[in-house]
Amino acid sequence: MVYILETELLEDKSIYFSLTKVFGIGQFQSFLLCKKLGLSYNCKLSNLTPDQVIKLIKFIENSNLLINSHLKKSKIMVTKNLVQIKAYRGIRKIRGLPVRGQRTHTNAKTASKFR
């Protein structure tokens, strides 16, 4: 396992899929990162040289991507702001009800469990 960007990535998987394990990097961002760095997305993480790994880490850090703890903090701050300004979504979040317009008559059992 390789420890990159506060996440342990599997060496036997391709770069494309192993980068998606980082919180905040999805499949599209992973594809773009591979394309911009000139890496084949089929190439396994174990086949990368240490220079390529360092280049990958520096490129992700220099880009304006929110990843891992920074993304989690920003999501928490957004929800705190919604609660503070008493927005509809914030009130629904406090009460433990569905936030995005789902029906509550029959299907809100799982949303009300997550308090």
Side-chain angles (χ1 to χ4, degrees):
M1 291 207 186
V2 178
Y3 193 74
I4 298 176
L5 302 168
E6 303 173 16
T7 309
E8 289 185 11
L9 303 178
L10 298 173
E11 290 184 3
D12 59 338
K13 295 219 175 212
S14 68
I15 300 168
Y16 175 70
F17 288 111
S18 58
L19 280 177
T20 58
K21 299 297 179 192
V22 177
F23 186 74
I25 298 179
Q27 291 181 351
F28 183 72
Q29 284 294 336
S30 176
F31 179 75
L32 287 180
L33 289 170
C34 292
K35 192 173 182 180
K36 286 181 182 177
L37 291 171
L39 302 171
S40 172
Y41 63 92
N42 292 331
C43 180
K44 294 190 186 294
L45 196 61
S46 59
N47 295 341
L48 291 181
T49 63
D51 294 334
Q52 289 175 326
V53 173
I54 292 170
K55 188 177 176 184
L56 175 69
I57 293 169
K58 292 210 184 234
F59 187 77
I60 292 173
E61 288 175 350
N62 291 338
S63 64
N64 292 331
L65 292 175
L66 288 176
I67 53 173
N68 289 332
S69 59
H70 297 293
L71 180 59
K72 290 176 186 176
K73 284 179 187 175
S74 68
K75 287 176 84 173
I76 290 170
M77 292 304 294
V78 166
T79 55
K80 280 185 180 179
N81 186 30
L82 288 172
V83 170
Q84 183 182 4
I85 64 173
K86 296 182 180 159
Y88 180 76
R89 284 175 51 199
I91 294 168
R92 301 289 285 183
K93 192 80 169 167
I94 290 171
R95 293 182 182 167
L97 294 169
V99 176
R100 297 185 178 176
Q102 295 92 337
R103 81 180 270 146
T104 57
H105 183 66
T106 57
N107 295 338
K109 293 174 181 74
T110 56
S112 60
K113 285 181 187 175
F114 296 127
R115 283 192 171 202

